[in-house]
Amino acid sequence: MVTYDDLVMALEDAWLSVGLHEHALVESVIPATHDRTCKIELFPEHAESLMLATMPPWLELNFTWSPVHQLISEGRDLPADPLELTLTYTVTLVNHRDRSDIELVRMFQRAVRSAFERLFPADLMEMESVSVEVRRIYQPVGQKVELEVVQLVSSTMVDLFEQWEDRDVQSLRQLLRSEMNLARTIIANLSDTFHPHGNGGYRSVDAA
């Protein structure tokens, strides 16, 4: 079993290796349950300050390191608690606002499916369509409200224990690099789908 610090360092190596860049990292401890949580916001390389009009597709990673994980890392022989990594993709749109929710969801799903097809063609038949939440954000303008931005949000969860068979640091690093490579490809596809001519000086992750 690896330690919490091993996992964080392996994640950092993985996202940097594929051209994603940390925008924020928040770690906290929940005293009531002794859980240690970690949230990381990852962006592809971008040339301008992050505003609604220049926001590229981005990824948030979350995981919780439980007391059971800590005890196992210290050598206790306990049943493995799921070690779940939650990946949440967000696309911010100031254009495409005239499209229907169904059309936006299908565009998002096609971008994700294309990423799987590129990296894991043998597993494509088993892939289920990802769920996508469409958020329409309104702002008051005078006596009425107007649509300011549309956000598409999709979350997936990966149980690292299910895929991490050898239980050593090196195999964990390889697994995380594979996950981050998929994330990079998804972000690139989302950018090509919703911002095909670039977005505020944003450069795709393949060029980063």
Side-chain angles (χ1 to χ4, degrees):
M1 179 64 180
V2 297
T3 65
Y4 173 88
D5 291 334
D6 289 332
L7 177 55
V8 173
M9 286 189 292
L11 272 169
E12 183 177 9
D13 288 345
W15 77 61
L16 290 177
S17 72
V18 301
L20 296 174
H21 304 271
E22 176 190 320
H23 182 67
L25 190 156
V26 179
E27 296 174 295
S28 60
V29 176
I30 304 172
T33 59
H34 302 288
D35 287 336
R36 189 173 181 181
T37 63
C38 183
K39 181 178 75 173
I40 309 130
E41 296 176 355
L42 298 175
F43 285 73
E45 187 174 350
H46 51 86
E48 296 190 9
S49 58
L50 295 175
M51 299 178 293
L52 288 179
T54 61
M55 186 74 70
W58 60 283
L59 170 67
E60 180 182 283
L61 299 179
N62 284 281
F63 73 89
T64 297
W65 184 263
S66 71
V68 174
H69 297 141
Q70 183 60 36
L71 290 172
I72 294 173
S73 73
E74 294 171 0
R76 295 281 296 274
D77 185 16
L78 296 171
D81 211 20
L83 184 52
E84 295 172 335
L85 187 66
T86 302
L87 301 93
T88 302
Y89 297 88
T90 301
V91 178
T92 303
L93 302 172
V94 293
N95 54 8
H96 296 293
R97 293 184 296 182
D98 57 334
R99 295 182 183 271
S100 69
D101 289 2
I102 292 176
E103 188 175 4
L104 291 173
V105 167
R106 287 176 177 170
M107 291 169 69
F108 192 109
Q109 290 174 335
R110 283 196 297 267
V112 173
R113 186 173 182 84
S114 177
F116 273 89
E117 185 175 15
R118 177 177 171 184
L119 297 178
F120 306 108
D123 300 328
L124 191 61
M125 294 298 294
E126 301 176 6
M127 177 191 169
E128 297 181 2
S129 295
V130 297
S131 61
V132 184
E133 179 184 358
V134 180
R135 301 175 181 173
R136 296 184 180 270
I137 301 170
Y138 294 82
Q139 290 292 337
V141 178
Q143 299 298 316
K144 59 181 181 179
V145 294
E146 291 184 359
L147 179 62
E148 181 182 35
V149 69
V150 176
Q151 282 190 330
L152 308 178
V153 182
S154 179
S155 294
T156 60
M157 187 175 292
V158 177
D159 182 357
L160 297 180
F161 279 152
E162 284 187 350
Q163 303 181 45
W164 181 33
E165 298 177 356
D166 295 332
R167 295 295 193 268
D168 65 275
V169 175
Q170 189 57 38
S171 63
L172 176 67
R173 286 178 175 271
Q174 292 173 353
L175 171 60
L176 292 177
R177 182 167 293 199
S178 175
E179 291 294 334
M180 289 300 98
N181 191 39
L182 175 60
R184 176 196 65 165
T185 306
I186 290 174
I187 288 174
N189 285 359
L190 291 172
S191 179
D192 290 342
T193 297
F194 294 102
H195 307 295
H197 303 298
N199 190 8
Y202 162 67
R203 291 187 292 167
S204 73
V205 288
D206 288 337

